[in-house]
Amino acid sequence: MAEIKDRAKHVWAVDKSTLEGVLDGKMNPVLREAWQQAVAILETAGDEEFYQHWLAGTGELMAASWEVIWEWLHRSPGTLGIVTPVALVRWARCSALVARYAPAEAVGLIRSGRRILAQIPPDMQQSLLEDCAILARINWPAATVLYASLPMLAQWPDRGAVKRWVQAGLALAGQDVEMGRAYFAAHSLWQKASFSDLFVPWVTWGQELARITPVVAQAYFSSTPVLAGALGEQFSASFLAEWADWARLLAEQDVETAIAFLNSSPGVLGSGTGVALKEWVECGRELLIRNQKVARSFFEMTHRALQQATWPEVRAWVERAARECGENAEKLAEMMALATRESMALLAGLRQGITLAEEERSLVTYGAALFERPVVLKPSNILPVEITGGDRLFATTDGRRVYLPENVNVFPVREKNQALLRLMLVHEMAHLAEGTYRLTAAELAEAARRTGLPEAQRGEVSCLEEWLDLFPDYALMRTVFELVEDARVDHLTRVRYPGLVREYHEFGRLAPVSFPSGTREAGLASLARLSLGQPAPEDLAIEPGLLLQQKILANRSATVKDSLEVAAAWYRFLADKPAAGGEARYPQALYRGRLRPDLVAVNAEVEAEFTPVKSRQRAESRLRVRPGPPGTATAYRTGKFYGALKSLLQGFSQEEYTAYRNVYYYDEWDVTVAGYKPDWCRVGEVVLQPSTRRFVEQTLRDYYGLISTLKRYFAMLRPDRFRRYRRQEEGEQEDIDAIVEAWAERAVGAPATGFMIRRDKRLRDVTVAFLLDLSGSTNQVLDNGKTILDIEKEAVIIMAEALEVIGDRYALYGFNGEGRQKVNFYIVKEFNEPYGQQVQQKFGGMVSDGLTRLGAAIRHATNKLQSVEAAVKLLLILSDGRPYDVDYCAAKGNSDLRSWLSADYTLYAREDCRMALREARMKCITPFCITVDRKGKEYLEEIFGPGGYVVIDDVTMLPEKLPLIYKKLTV
């Protein structure tokens, strides 16, 4: 036995020596140091078997890049006791295979190894990692997806199912890279659907679609998990067969139409609008007969149309548009894409419902007057589906904002829909006014003691969400608290505003439901009836029902602490009762939204931490809650989810704290459909606040000589106040010279006319708007230590000094942004504003940030110029490069990725700018661009036309050249 061990140690020593030689050959001291540290850790640990396999695994990676090897040496020793020795080699082999094609992905695969492999039972590690290695040989992107899903696969009770899942995926991954990746990414499907019932038909249909083309199968695999989550119990084998068969029929006619159908299915069929699959597809197939592009646009935009109208109204809109467009397929495609004002007006004219955008102004005024506090509204569909549950009538608050449905079409009468939306606002505002979320840590601790929570279970809670999470069944406790607190705020609101009683009664009626006696659902139904003041006799016979009556419904001074106590009593009453099936259900009033204390808690973090910054770091929430088991309604409650939610709320705060004076919406030209996208860009005016005049003072000192010369020069351009015209037939005074000359000419018989002098008032009637590009790229530092923005500001300051002499009216603006919803338009000086100390101090507040959505900025500057009366109107744009924004491009096609990538991605932006300039010229405004981009000639002539721009190669010459350009344009 000792001899065998000695022989093994000799082999390990040879392996170690060989690896050290390979590392020495790479001549990387960082690798050498990492190697020595890893070897020291493993030799100290003394696990000879693990050490042997680790040497073998390290040998697998020796051909990889040094970054991959370093990550392995740094991370793998830490898996001792977590990963079995044989699985360790499989892990290294999989990483080495991925590293051949994507070293960065291999680094991520190694870095996450400890976290992922710790969740896999030791007896499954080898087989699962072997599957990953096999897959990496034929499709490394799919292998990385499979690797990330291993913890979930390890939880499957049927290990045979795991094997069947992987084997089917290997066959598909060998056919097409993206299809294989989509297949393995669909592993979450089996958290929502029965593997035993659906796996075989699901794979069979995927293979059937792959025979037509892999891109359709890719869309099928990608959309299935989302669709299953949206449909819930309705996602059955029969539904899957019908849905997939429709996809096959569409793919046989047009591949891109089938992809649009598959990708849009979750949003349409899971929208809760009652759209029948057969009706939807047949409507699309009728359009496909006319034109493929029309059908694709219809499928892609159906979910958007359903946010504004019911399915019968959408169907009527399609039929009406088809009649109006006749044989014009291009126009009909634009109509189906909701890309024109005409199509949106047609849909709006057919719908019975209302939209939040239409009612927002009146709702804000109504809510502010009723509750004497500002109202900030947002559409609820902007929140993650984990929060809304996909409910189209979802409403809630985050403690600052109220989220209401984007579209309400419950009733055929518009006025009733408006009344319902108003009451939904009142209900959410009442929660804010009555202090639902205003609970301190001390009050929550006291409530935990009063409600009988065990000492060990209380913990330290900082918010309502963490308090509710103390109860074993969080979902039940949140539901119970929601109903009790709804009862409290509704009762207090009815007392305070008796005029709302009729609306509460009308929209608070519950549909009759029947649950088995003694079940949790029956108890929740009793609580729902009691909370709305509609109790049945048996509801008042139970002890928690009497407690609700005494402490909440008969108490005009009830507080949220009373609600916590009553909710705890109801929780104890219901916790041991059996559920009738699945998640507990109960009848709900139409106007009542949902309490989301987790949303409020995350927003409270944002409010406490928020400071306006140029860019946001990745957010991490401090909320301490337990995620539910996989497949349950609370499985989403992870740190990753709440971090993403915090980022979303930070964006809202950033937008709201940016003090917009006014907000405007402008159309944007879409060259791909040759039409305007209506109200596509949101432009917010920001009045820069005075900060410091130091920049202006320094500029005046640095350019003292140039400014003095320009002032004298521009003074000569200023016209005299009056001009005298001699020898006129009419005028204000006699022209003595003309009279004398007429006497002399009379002697020779020459006729004489014109004996008056006329004086005409002359004014230079020029107005100019300077539009400065304030995007992040203007922060580039030049050789002289100044930034491009510094040079732009210097040029404008020099021009302002000169224009004060000549008397031309002028305005100073800047712009930047990030996306179509956030185009910032900065006001430095308006046309009628004097160029005084306050304006000069604003230059200190101009900073570089964001991107360049030039078309929207031009349209707004044009709008400003149009409001001024002048004979000559000039728009001078100072920029450092081509227009660019995150979504300032054509939408990517569904399938032809290669052609999209090879296309001219700036064409959309250039054409929109060109159209915005054309609109300006039609309004008698002369636009002119001055750029410091040396490649500007490549694109500016196409946008501004010949003679509409100038490229300044040396940016430092801008202050000297700008006045000369201005003179040329205006004199």
Side-chain angles (χ1 to χ4, degrees):
M1 190 69 176
E3 185 180 345
I4 294 173
K5 284 189 174 182
D6 290 341
R7 191 180 304 120
K9 288 182 179 178
H10 174 71
V11 172
W12 303 341
V14 172
D15 289 345
K16 178 181 174 184
S17 177
T18 302
L19 291 172
E20 286 177 339
V22 174
L23 289 172
D24 288 340
K26 291 183 179 291
M27 294 183 293
N28 190 322
V30 175
L31 283 183
R32 185 69 185 176
E33 181 183 356
W35 163 264
Q36 292 170 351
Q37 291 175 352
V39 168
I41 290 171
L42 293 174
E43 289 182 347
T44 302
D47 189 327
E48 295 178 353
E49 185 183 7
F50 187 88
Y51 186 22
Q52 175 193 1
H53 285 82
W54 180 83
L55 289 171
T58 305
E60 296 270 358
L61 286 158
M62 280 298 109
S65 65
W66 74 268
E67 294 92 344
V68 176
I69 300 173
W70 183 90
E71 197 70 37
W72 172 261
L73 296 173
H74 182 62
R75 304 277 181 179
S76 57
T79 62
L80 177 63
I82 295 174
V83 182
T84 64
V86 177
L88 185 74
V89 179
R90 302 295 186 274
W91 179 31
R93 184 173 300 155
C94 180
S95 302
L97 290 166
V98 172
R100 292 179 184 177
Y101 310 98
E105 293 290 339
V107 167
L109 192 143
I110 295 169
R111 187 173 294 165
S112 61
R114 180 184 174 90
R115 174 181 56 82
I116 288 178
L117 299 176
Q119 301 177 62
I120 303 174
D123 60 335
M124 294 185 69
Q125 289 177 358
Q126 179 182 345
S127 61
L128 288 176
L129 288 169
E130 180 64 31
D131 290 333
C132 285
I134 294 170
L135 183 57
R137 288 190 178 94
I138 59 175
N139 188 329
W140 70 264
T144 61
V145 175
L146 173 60
Y147 178 78
S149 70
L150 292 182
M152 191 275 291
L153 297 179
Q155 295 178 9
W156 288 11
D158 183 359
R159 296 192 178 182
V162 176
K163 200 65 182 174
R164 293 199 303 276
W165 162 259
V166 174
Q167 290 303 316
L170 286 171
L172 291 164
Q175 297 177 43
D176 183 81
V177 171
E178 293 301 325
M179 179 175 67
R181 193 205 312 240
Y183 171 89
F184 284 105
H187 60 82
S188 61
L189 169 64
W190 309 117
Q191 294 177 312
K192 306 159 187 171
S194 168
F195 187 90
S196 58
D197 293 339
L198 291 176
F199 175 68
V200 172
W202 181 72
V203 171
T204 303
W205 276 110
Q207 293 167 340
E208 177 76 17
L209 294 172
R211 279 191 280 272
I212 300 173
T213 174
V215 292
V216 174
Q218 175 192 339
Y220 166 79
F221 289 130
S222 297
S223 56
T224 313
V226 188
L227 181 60
L231 292 180
E233 295 177 359
Q234 298 176 37
F235 190 79
S236 61
S238 59
F239 173 85
L240 176 65
E242 182 186 4
W243 177 64
D245 194 41
W246 282 121
R248 179 186 61 80
L249 291 172
L250 290 170
E252 289 172 349
Q253 294 177 273
D254 180 58
V255 168
E256 290 192 9
T257 299
I259 292 170
F261 162 70
L262 289 166
N263 290 339
S264 301
S265 291
V268 174
L269 301 175
S271 63
T273 54
V275 181
L277 172 60
K278 183 179 180 181
E279 287 184 27
W280 181 45
V281 180
E282 287 182 342
C283 184
R285 292 187 74 193
E286 290 171 11
L287 295 172
L288 184 57
I289 295 171
R290 297 171 66 110
N291 183 270
Q292 296 171 344
K293 187 176 179 181
V294 173
R296 288 198 297 271
S297 297
F298 166 75
F299 282 122
E300 288 169 355
M301 283 298 156
T302 305
H303 72 284
R304 186 176 161 199
L306 287 171
Q307 291 173 352
Q308 304 176 45
T310 62
W311 169 245
E313 291 165 352
V314 171
R315 185 62 198 259
W317 166 69
V318 172
E319 293 172 354
R320 178 86 169 270
R323 286 198 304 272
E324 290 187 3
C325 293
E327 298 300 318
N328 190 338
E330 283 296 320
K331 183 179 179 182
L332 183 56
E334 289 180 21
M335 295 280 279
M336 293 298 99
L338 286 172
T340 64
R341 285 191 181 281
E342 183 183 358
S343 60
M344 295 185 74
L346 179 60
L347 180 60
L350 291 170
R351 70 166 184 252
Q352 297 293 326
I354 58 171
T355 65
L356 181 61
E358 294 170 345
E359 305 295 324
E360 182 174 3
R361 183 174 296 180
S362 62
L363 288 171
V364 167
T365 304
Y366 178 77
L370 205 61
F371 291 94
E372 298 181 348
R373 60 186 298 162
V375 179
V376 182
L377 293 181
K378 292 280 185 186
S380 58
N381 62 2
I382 205 170
L383 293 171
V385 70
E386 291 85 352
I387 295 287
T388 67
D391 183 2
R392 294 180 71 247
L393 286 179
F394 183 85
T396 192
T397 176
D398 63 12
R400 171 180 171 81
R401 305 164 195 87
V402 172
Y403 300 86
L404 295 177
E406 187 176 46
N407 182 54
V408 176
N409 50 16
V410 178
F411 304 104
V413 181
R414 182 181 181 86
E415 289 71 18
K416 287 193 70 173
N417 289 319
Q418 290 173 324
L420 173 59
L421 192 58
R422 275 198 307 271
L423 193 58
M424 295 175 86
L425 171 66
V426 169
H427 181 71
E428 298 306 323
M429 291 292 294
H431 276 296
L432 297 178
E434 301 299 340
T436 296
Y437 303 106
R438 285 200 303 269
L439 285 161
T440 65
E443 289 172 331
L444 289 168
E446 174 62 18
R449 186 189 63 78
R450 289 172 56 193
T451 52
L453 282 172
E455 186 71 32
Q457 195 175 321
R458 293 178 198 172
E460 293 183 6
V461 296
S462 60
C463 62
L464 178 60
E465 176 72 1
E466 292 177 355
W467 192 88
L468 297 175
D469 197 52
L470 295 176
F471 290 80
D473 191 338
Y474 160 81
L476 175 62
M477 183 57 190
R478 192 184 72 184
T479 299
V480 167
F481 173 73
E482 178 181 297
L483 287 168
V484 173
E485 183 64 0
D486 279 349
R488 183 182 76 90
V489 299
D490 283 352
H491 169 64
L492 296 176
T493 306
R494 282 194 294 263
V495 170
R496 186 170 289 111
Y497 305 110
L500 292 172
V501 170
R502 185 174 62 83
E503 282 83 359
Y504 272 110
H505 179 72
E506 181 174 5
F507 298 117
R509 295 194 187 98
L510 295 177
V513 291
S514 176
F515 296 110
S517 178
T519 62
R520 185 174 290 184
E521 286 81 359
L524 287 172
S526 293
L527 177 54
R529 289 191 295 268
L530 283 164
S531 73
L532 288 162
Q534 305 169 22
E538 62 270 20
D539 300 335
L540 297 172
I542 56 179
E543 185 178 344
L546 293 173
L547 186 65
L548 179 70
Q549 286 281 1
Q550 294 166 3
K551 279 191 166 288
I552 302 298
L553 299 178
N555 183 2
R556 294 194 175 193
S557 58
T559 68
V560 65
K561 290 183 282 187
D562 296 314
S563 294
L564 292 175
E565 185 178 342
V566 173
W570 272 94
Y571 175 86
R572 287 191 292 269
F573 174 72
L574 295 171
D576 296 330
K577 294 186 180 299
E583 193 177 343
R585 294 167 289 118
Y586 61 95
Q588 291 177 272
L590 270 178
Y591 70 88
R592 282 184 175 176
R594 303 303 300 267
L595 292 189
R596 296 302 314 208
D598 53 349
L599 180 63
V600 175
V602 175
N603 188 64
E605 290 182 21
V606 173
E607 295 289 317
E609 301 169 3
F610 183 78
T611 52
V613 291
K614 292 184 182 180
S615 60
R616 296 190 301 277
Q617 303 278 326
R618 180 182 174 184
E620 292 185 6
S621 173
R622 298 187 301 276
L623 193 60
R624 296 169 297 181
V625 293
R626 300 161 297 153
T632 64
T634 56
Y636 70 89
R637 299 169 77 222
T638 62
K640 183 178 179 182
F641 170 77
Y642 286 121
L645 180 62
K646 188 172 182 178
S647 292
L648 176 69
L649 297 175
Q650 282 177 337
F652 296 161
S653 294
Q654 182 77 48
E655 179 181 310
E656 290 159 7
Y657 278 89
T658 301
Y660 286 146
R661 180 173 69 178
N662 291 302
V663 173
Y664 302 84
Y665 290 87
Y666 291 96
D667 297 353
E668 186 169 273
W669 178 258
D670 185 349
V671 65
T672 61
V673 299
Y676 284 100
K677 292 177 177 177
D679 293 335
W680 191 250
C681 292
R682 180 174 179 264
V683 178
E685 283 190 356
V686 181
V687 180
L688 286 175
Q689 298 303 309
S691 59
T692 174
R693 193 172 175 269
R694 279 198 293 269
F695 189 88
V696 174
E697 292 171 347
Q698 186 63 44
T699 302
L700 296 179
R701 285 195 296 269
D702 292 346
Y703 293 93
Y704 176 78
L706 175 62
I707 292 172
S708 299
T709 302
L710 286 173
K711 283 184 174 181
R712 289 194 298 271
Y713 180 73
F714 272 67
M716 290 188 292
L717 296 177
R718 183 174 56 195
D720 294 333
R721 186 168 179 82
F722 291 98
R723 181 169 181 179
R724 294 155 61 93
Y725 293 88
R726 296 181 176 276
R727 296 181 173 82
Q728 301 297 305
E729 294 292 337
E730 297 178 354
E732 292 79 22
Q733 70 180 79
E734 296 82 0
D735 188 345
I736 302 300
D737 291 340
I739 294 172
V740 171
E741 290 174 5
W743 276 102
E745 291 171 356
R746 182 180 180 185
V748 296
T753 58
F755 304 115
M756 303 298 292
I757 295 176
R758 177 169 57 85
R759 291 185 298 175
D760 282 354
K761 187 176 183 180
R762 293 190 65 209
L763 291 176
R764 180 181 163 89
D765 198 9
V766 176
T767 297
V768 59
F770 292 92
L771 186 59
L772 277 68
D773 178 0
L774 302 183
S775 61
S777 57
T778 60
N779 201 36
Q780 178 187 343
V781 180
L782 307 172
D783 294 339
N784 62 2
K786 298 178 180 179
T787 65
I788 293 177
L789 179 57
D790 290 338
I791 301 298
E792 287 184 357
K793 292 195 291 185
E794 287 176 349
V796 170
I797 290 168
I798 291 168
M799 275 304 306
E801 295 290 330
L803 291 174
E804 288 295 310
V805 173
I806 200 172
D808 290 353
R809 281 180 295 176
Y810 65 99
L812 306 175
Y813 304 125
F815 76 98
N816 60 22
E818 186 178 352
R820 67 184 183 91
Q821 291 290 344
K822 189 182 177 184
V823 181
N824 299 321
F825 194 90
Y826 299 94
I827 310 294
V828 182
K829 177 189 176 300
E830 291 284 18
F831 293 107
N832 58 353
E833 191 175 357
Y835 182 66
Q837 184 171 345
Q838 191 172 25
V839 169
Q840 293 172 5
Q841 288 175 343
K842 293 179 183 180
F843 282 96
M846 297 173 73
V847 294
S848 303
D849 186 27
L851 301 170
T852 315
R853 204 177 198 98
L854 184 56
I858 289 173
R859 289 186 176 93
H860 191 57
T862 298
N863 190 31
K864 307 279 282 184
L865 273 165
Q866 199 177 10
S867 65
V868 180
E869 292 292 334
V872 177
K873 297 180 184 180
L874 181 63
L875 174 58
L876 270 178
I877 303 163
L878 278 68
S879 177
D880 72 327
R882 68 182 70 222
Y884 174 76
D885 201 354
V886 287
D887 53 359
Y888 207 18
C889 56
K892 181 174 77 69
N894 285 316
S895 59
D896 195 3
L897 178 62
R898 181 175 298 174
S899 64
W900 181 78
L901 290 173
S902 62
D904 183 357
Y905 71 95
T906 65
L907 175 64
Y908 180 99
R910 295 201 314 269
E911 287 298 308
D912 177 59
C913 293
R914 191 171 65 84
M915 191 60 69
L917 294 166
R918 181 181 176 187
E919 295 163 19
R921 292 187 184 102
M922 291 174 67
K923 296 170 182 175
C924 300
I925 294 168
T926 303
F928 192 85
C929 179
I930 302 171
T931 185
V932 295
D933 182 5
R934 295 179 180 179
K935 296 182 179 179
K937 293 178 182 177
E938 297 177 5
Y939 58 88
L940 283 177
E941 183 156 344
E942 180 184 351
I943 298 174
F944 286 86
Y949 70 96
V950 66
V951 177
I952 298 179
D953 296 328
D954 184 358
V955 64
T956 59
M957 296 298 294
L958 179 61
E960 296 182 22
K961 291 192 174 183
L962 179 58
L964 300 177
I965 295 169
Y966 182 79
K967 174 188 175 255
K968 182 179 178 182
L969 292 170
T970 60
V971 176

